[in-house]
Amino acid sequence: MKIKFKNPFKSLSKFEWILWGVSIATIILATIVSGKSSALETIASLIGVTALIFVAKGLIIGQALTVLFSLFYGLVSLKFHYWGEMITYLFMSMPIALLSTIEWIRHPYENTEVVEVSRVTKKQILIMCLLGASTTVAFYFILKAFDTPNLFFSTMSITTSFMAAYLTFLRSPYYGIGYGLNDIVLIILWALASVEDISYLPMVMCF
């Protein structure tokens, strides 16, 4: 099925342009305020907010940017020894985002660059709950063994990240709930990191 790809920025409404612009400006301001943020945190945050606005619109380019964001975010997490975040994004979120990109390309809505929404079955929800629970328990002990900072929130991040990635792959609009919960956890995680090192402030603003 042939997809008609267009410049994704042309699809943004006036409000969405303002939302994206304010997001970009906020991250740049956070970088300036911190005074010591490396390019890695800033680039990751800029890619993250850009990917989010396109994923929210169901545009395939959003998933492709999510793959790139996962790579940069994994590296930022490695710097602060957030092992759970690094493992989750490099070895779960990034591969799933790549598979989701392929899945979204294969299921366009009326040959457009927008993905076709799919309904999640009870069986898929049950699988998500079982896999999510087992992943949470397993990673709690793995992260504890690595002496991961802020262990509780790091573990919760893995749970919510898995839910969001799973629902995104299934093309369910409810993926937003998973990402919303994950963002709350990540704001707390990176706020705690920023208390120790202000250079991580752009990551707080990103989420």
Side-chain angles (χ1 to χ4, degrees), residues 44-105:
S45 299
L46 294 176
I47 295 174
V49 296
T50 303
L52 179 59
I53 199 165
F54 290 132
V55 170
K57 291 175 67 66
L59 295 175
I60 296 170
I61 184 64
Q63 281 302 320
L65 287 173
T66 300
V67 175
L68 186 60
F69 169 73
S70 297
L71 175 61
F72 277 91
Y73 182 76
L75 295 175
V76 172
S77 301
L78 176 63
K79 284 182 57 182
F80 193 72
H81 295 171
Y82 270 158
W83 305 114
E85 294 300 290
M86 183 199 73
I87 293 172
T88 300
Y89 273 81
L90 291 183
F91 300 103
M92 185 183 75
S93 295
M94 188 165 71
I96 292 180
L98 181 58
L99 291 174
S100 297
T101 301
I102 298 172
E103 183 70 7
W104 283 28
I105 290 175

Side-chain angles (χ1 to χ4, degrees), residues 118-129 166 170:
S118 176
R119 289 188 177 184
V120 180
T121 65
K122 292 181 179 179
K123 181 180 179 180
Q124 290 171 330
I125 294 176
L126 178 60
I127 292 174
M128 180 183 72
C129 292
Y166 181 87
L170 294 178

Side-chain angles (χ1 to χ4, degrees), residues 33 39 52 64 67 70 75 102 109 112 138 157 173 182 185 198 201:
V33 169
L52 179 59
V67 175
S70 297
L75 295 175
I102 298 172
Y109 177 73
T112 67
S157 176
N182 185 233
V185 175
I198 194 64
L201 184 60

Side-chain angles (χ1 to χ4, degrees), residues 1 8 28 37 40 50 52 71 84-85 107 110-111 118 121 126 139 142-143 147 153 188 191 205:
M1 187 176 292
I28 293 175
S37 294
L40 197 59
T50 303
L52 179 59
L71 175 61
E85 294 300 290
H107 296 88
E110 296 183 354
N111 295 345
S118 176
T121 65
L126 178 60
F139 269 91
I142 293 173
L143 298 182
D147 196 25
F153 291 110
I188 296 173
M205 296 299 103

Side-chain angles (χ1 to χ4, degrees), residues 134-149:
S134 58
T135 300
T136 300
V137 173
F139 269 91
Y140 172 80
F141 291 103
I142 293 173
L143 298 182
K144 186 176 182 179
F146 278 98
D147 196 25
T148 303

Side-chain angles (χ1 to χ4, degrees), residues 23-35 201-202 205:
S23 300
I24 295 296
T26 301
I27 289 170
I28 293 175
L29 180 61
T31 301
I32 295 173
V33 169
S34 68
L201 184 60
M205 296 299 103

